[in-house]
Amino acid sequence: MENVRKLVLAALIVLSLYFLALNASLTQILAGVAILLFGIMLLGDGFKIFSDGILGNILKKSTGNTPKSVLFGTAATVIMQSSTLVSVISISFLSAGLITLARGLGVVFGANLGNSAGSWLIVGISSIKISDFALPLIVVGVLLGFQKAKLYKGLGGIFAGLGFFFLGVSFIKDGFQGLGEIVSFSKYHAGGYLGVITYVGVGALLTGVVQSSHATLAMILIALGAGELTYENALAATLGTSVGGVVTAVIASLSTNIEGKKLALGNCVFNFSIAFIIIVLFFPFVDLVNFVADTVGISQDNNGLRVALFHTLFNVVAVILISPCIPLIVTFLDKVVKAPKDKDLSAPLFLKYEIVQYPEEAIEAIEKEVQHLYDNAFALIVHVLGFSREDVRSKESFEDLIKKPWYKGEVDIDYLYQKKIKALSDAIMDFSNTAQSYIKEQEKTERIFTLKIATRSLLEAIKILKLVQKNLKPYSASLNPNLSKVYNDMRVDVAELLRSGEELKGMSRDHIALIVSQLNEAKKFFAEQDKAMLYKVEKLVSEKKITVSNGTSILNDSSFMDNISKEIINAIQIIYAHYVPRATDEDDSSTFVV
C-alpha cells in the first residue's frame, strides 16, 4: 500500500510539472488549486488548535439523536468550510467508541449539507476582486501564527487559511479567463443524459484527485462564469463532487477499526444514493431548481447562484429522504461489514491519533483500550488456569467447575504474550505519552498515569504467569490428591478474583467503594495465603504426603500466584474504579475516586 501511494504521488508530481509547462494560464489554474487546498488545510488546522477539545465535547453532547447529529454536522462544516475535517473527526471518534454509528452517520450526512455553503461562498467571492483583502488576511494570519498562545495560533491559522482560500479562487478565476483565449472547453459540452453522466464523472474524478470538493466547485463555478461550461454541465459536475467527495473519508477509514469502515461506507451510501436519484430525475429537478430560483429572485443570468442553489437543494433532499433510514442503514452495515474471523486482538481498537490532542476524548480512548488489554489478559489467564471465559463469568460454583475437563484450546503463552499483550501495551504507552503532551490539568495527567500503571500491572501479571504455566496442569491433575488439591485451590483463588473483577464492571457507582475495599482485602488474603503456604508445605513434606521437590514447586508457584493476583487487583481497581495507588500498598493507604 505504501509503495502504491509513493508511485501515485510521483505520477501526480510528474503530471503537474508537465501541465505546468504547457501554458501560463493552465499553470495559474493549477497554482490556484494548490493555494486553495493549502488554505483549506490551514483553516482546518486553525480550528483544531482553536477548539482545543471543544469540537470533541460538542460532538459528543450534540449528537443525542439524528436531527441533532445532522445539525451538528451541518453547522460544523459551514463554520469550518471542511466537510472532510468533520467526516474524518467523526470516523476517528466512532473508531474510538466515543459516538455510535447512527450518530456518526447523522454527522456526516449533515456535513454533506453544510458543504453546500462553500458553493455560495465561492460564487460570492469570485464576483469581486478578492485578492485586495486576501493578502492582508494572510499577513494578519502569519503574525498571529508566530505567537505562543494557542488562541492566537488558532486564529492565525483561520485568518491565513481564509486568505489563501480567497487567493486560490482569484488565481483560478484569472487562469480560466486567460485560458479561454487559447482553447475553449465549451466546444466539448454534451447535452441530454449523456452530458449528465459525463460531467458527473468529471466532477467525481476531479474531486477524487484533489480530495477537496471546494477546489472542484471553485473550478466548476469559475469555468461556468468564464463561459467554459454550460449551465446543465456545471450542475452535473457539481453533483459529481458529491460522489468524488467520499474518497477522502474512505482513505481515512483504511487505518480505522471496523466501525470507522462502516461509517465511511455509510457516507458512500448517502452520496451514491442521492446521486443516482438526481441523475434519474435530473431534468425535472433542474426545473425545480429554476422554479425556486425564480421564486427567491435569483435572475436567469446568474447561473453561479443557481448552481449553488442546486448544490444545496439536492443535499437537503438527500438529508430528508435518507436520514430517516439511518436505523436500516446501520443494520445493513452491521450485516455487510464484519470483522475478519481471525481478528487481530493485539491491534488497538480505540487509539486514533486524530483525537490525541483532545484531552477528554484521548483519556476515554485510553480507558477503553486498557479495558481491551484487560479482556485479552483475562482470557489468557483464565485459559492457563484451565477454565473457559464462560465458566468464570457464570454463577456456577468453582467446586463444580474444578471437576470439568481442562480447557481444550491451545495456549501458547509466549506467542500470545507478544501478540495480544505486549504489542497492545506498547501502543497504549506510546499513545498515552503523546496525549500527555497536550494536557495541562493535573487530574487528567494523573488519570493517564494510573492507566499506564494498570497497563504495566497486566503486563507483569502475564510475564509471571509464564513461570507458573508449566506446573499448573500436570500438578492439578496429579494422582497425588494432596498435590492436586493445593494447585486446584490456587487455580480457584485466582479464578474467583477474576470473577469478582467481571462483576465489578457492571457495578453502579454506589457500590464501587465497597468493591474496592473488598479487593484490598483480597490483596491481604493472597499475601497471607502465601505466608501460610510455607507451614502447609512443611507439614505435607514431614508427613510424606508430597516430596521435597513438590514442596519447592508449590512455594515458588504460590508466590507467583500471589504476585499475579496483586497485579490483577491493581489493574481492576484502576480501570473500573478510578483507583489511585500510592507509593506503598501494604498499609492500605491508597485512595480512589468515585
Side-chain angles (χ1 to χ4, degrees):
M1 179 62 72
E2 186 63 29
N3 290 333
V4 172
R5 288 179 181 175
K6 289 179 180 179
L7 288 174
V8 171
L9 178 61
L12 288 174
I13 291 174
V14 171
L15 287 173
S16 298
L17 292 174
Y18 171 74
F19 285 120
L20 287 172
L22 291 180
N23 62 71
S25 296
L26 190 56
T27 298
Q28 197 163 13
I29 292 173
L30 292 176
V33 172
I35 293 169
L36 188 148
L37 289 172
F38 183 66
I40 292 173
M41 182 180 69
L42 286 179
L43 198 61
D45 290 343
F47 271 107
K48 283 194 286 187
I49 294 174
F50 183 66
S51 64
D52 193 24
I54 295 174
L55 180 62
N57 290 330
I58 296 174
L59 175 58
K60 290 193 294 183
K61 294 176 181 177
S62 304
T63 56
N65 53 44
T66 297
K68 287 183 178 180
S69 301
V70 172
L71 182 60
F72 170 82
T74 304
T77 305
V78 169
I79 293 170
M80 294 187 293
Q81 283 301 299
S82 177
S83 60
T84 297
L85 177 60
V86 175
S87 297
V88 169
I89 290 175
S90 299
I91 289 173
S92 301
F93 275 42
L94 175 62
S95 299
L98 304 180
I99 59 173
T100 65
L101 177 58
R103 302 299 169 250
L105 288 170
V107 172
V108 296
F109 290 1
N112 282 281
L113 176 57
N115 195 45
S116 62
S119 301
W120 299 92
L121 176 64
I122 293 167
V123 171
I125 62 179
S126 61
S127 62
I128 58 177
K129 191 176 181 181
I130 55 174
S131 58
D132 291 342
F133 59 90
L135 295 178
L137 281 172
I138 293 172
V139 171
V140 172
V142 171
L143 290 175
L144 289 173
F146 279 115
Q147 306 306 308
K148 293 182 178 180
K150 276 190 173 183
L151 174 63
Y152 293 133
K153 282 186 177 293
L155 287 173
I158 293 170
F159 277 109
L162 286 172
F164 280 111
F165 185 97
F166 294 161
L167 190 63
V169 172
S170 177
F171 267 66
I172 295 171
K173 180 181 177 182
D174 293 343
F176 267 107
Q177 288 175 348
L179 193 66
E181 300 174 0
I182 303 171
V183 57
S184 178
F185 287 107
S186 60
K187 297 178 181 179
Y188 305 103
H189 79 270
Y193 275 102
L194 175 62
V196 173
I197 295 172
T198 299
Y199 278 90
V200 166
V202 169
L205 180 62
L206 282 173
T207 306
V209 171
V210 300
Q211 292 191 29
S212 171
S213 58
H214 275 36
T216 306
L217 284 168
M219 289 188 284
I220 292 169
L221 290 167
I222 293 170
L224 173 65
E228 297 299 321
L229 277 180
T230 66
Y231 173 55
E232 290 181 355
N233 288 166
L235 293 180
T238 300
L239 180 60
T241 64
S242 180
V243 177
V246 304
V247 172
T248 303
V250 170
I251 291 174
S253 73
L254 294 178
S255 60
T256 66
N257 61 15
I258 200 69
E259 293 302 310
K261 291 178 173 60
K262 288 179 183 178
L263 183 57
L265 181 57
N267 191 29
C268 293
V269 170
F270 178 89
N271 286 281
F272 293 162
S273 296
I274 191 58
F276 176 78
I277 293 170
I278 299 301
I279 288 172
V280 171
L281 303 174
F282 185 79
F283 294 104
F285 193 79
V286 171
D287 291 338
L288 173 64
V289 172
N290 291 334
F291 172 76
V292 174
D294 293 337
T295 303
V296 298
I298 298 176
S299 69
Q300 294 183 359
D301 296 332
N302 200 333
N303 284 337
L305 284 180
R306 292 189 174 226
V307 170
L309 179 63
F310 170 83
H311 192 196
T312 300
L313 283 181
F314 82 69
N315 276 294
V316 168
V317 170
V319 169
I320 293 173
L321 292 180
I322 303 175
S323 291
C325 301
I326 283 180
L328 295 176
I329 296 173
V330 170
T331 302
F332 166 75
L333 294 173
D334 287 338
K335 289 182 179 179
V336 172
V337 184
K338 295 182 179 180
K341 293 182 179 179
D342 59 342
K343 185 178 178 182
D344 185 4
L345 294 179
S346 66
L349 299 179
F350 308 101
L351 304 182
K352 306 301 168 187
Y353 279 86
E354 293 86 347
I355 65 170
V356 74
Q357 61 184 308
Y358 303 114
E360 291 186 7
E361 289 72 26
I363 291 173
E364 190 170 344
I366 295 169
E367 287 178 343
K368 289 177 179 290
E369 203 63 67
V370 177
Q371 290 172 15
H372 174 206
L373 176 64
Y374 175 83
D375 289 338
N376 283 4
F378 169 84
L380 184 50
I381 295 170
V382 165
H383 292 159
V384 170
L385 293 176
F387 301 110
S388 70
R389 283 170 288 184
E390 292 72 20
D391 287 338
V392 173
R393 287 170 176 154
S394 71
K395 298 295 184 181
E396 191 174 355
S397 71
F398 281 101
E399 288 183 2
D400 294 330
L401 290 176
I402 208 73
K403 298 174 184 177
K404 285 187 174 183
W406 195 274
Y407 175 71
K408 294 181 180 180
E410 290 293 327
V411 185
D412 185 342
I413 196 167
D414 289 314
Y415 170 78
L416 294 174
Y417 167 76
Q418 291 294 335
K419 189 171 179 64
K420 310 297 184 187
I421 306 298
K422 183 66 166 58
L424 189 55
S425 67
D426 288 346
I428 292 171
M429 291 296 187
D430 183 65
F431 185 90
S432 299
N433 291 335
T434 305
Q436 282 182 300
S437 66
Y438 292 97
I439 296 175
K440 296 180 179 179
E441 298 89 338
Q442 183 177 353
E443 181 182 351
K444 292 177 181 177
T445 301
E446 187 175 68
R447 179 56 181 160
I448 291 182
F449 180 72
T450 56
L451 288 168
K452 288 162 73 174
I453 292 176
T455 301
R456 187 189 63 188
S457 290
L458 293 171
L459 196 68
E460 289 299 316
I462 303 303
K463 286 167 67 176
I464 299 169
L465 186 68
K466 293 162 62 175
L467 303 174
V468 183
Q469 185 188 28
K470 64 178 182 179
N471 288 337
L472 271 180
K473 186 173 182 179
Y475 287 177
S476 296
S478 173
L479 296 178
N480 182 338
N482 298 289
L483 184 60
S484 63
K485 185 178 186 310
V486 171
Y487 274 87
N488 282 324
D489 286 346
M490 285 192 282
R491 290 172 59 205
V492 168
D493 288 341
V494 177
E496 284 182 334
L497 171 62
L498 291 170
R499 178 176 284 181
S500 298
E502 293 300 291
E503 291 172 352
L504 178 58
K505 292 181 182 180
M507 286 288 179
S508 67
R509 285 288 186 183
D510 297 335
H511 296 95
I512 284 180
L514 176 61
I515 297 298
V516 169
S517 176
Q518 291 176 346
L519 288 173
N520 282 333
E521 290 300 317
K523 282 186 184 179
K524 295 178 181 179
F525 165 78
F526 281 102
E528 291 169 359
Q529 282 283 87
D530 186 40
K531 293 175 183 177
M533 190 62 72
L534 177 60
Y535 300 103
K536 183 184 291 186
V537 167
E538 286 181 347
K539 183 178 180 181
L540 290 172
V541 171
S542 65
E543 294 175 355
K544 306 295 184 182
K545 292 181 178 179
I546 62 172
T547 66
V548 173
S549 177
N550 292 154
T552 302
S553 296
I554 291 172
L555 291 176
N556 287 335
D557 292 336
S558 174
S559 179
F560 292 147
M561 293 294 249
D562 171 46
N563 290 328
I564 290 171
S565 301
K566 286 180 179 178
E567 300 292 1
I568 293 171
I569 292 170
N570 284 338
I572 291 173
Q573 289 178 327
I574 290 170
I575 298 168
Y576 297 108
H578 284 226
Y579 191 75
V580 182
R582 300 299 185 191
T584 59
D585 233 3
E586 297 300 327
D587 59 356
D588 194 27
S589 61
S590 302
T591 62
F592 57 90
V593 180
V594 177

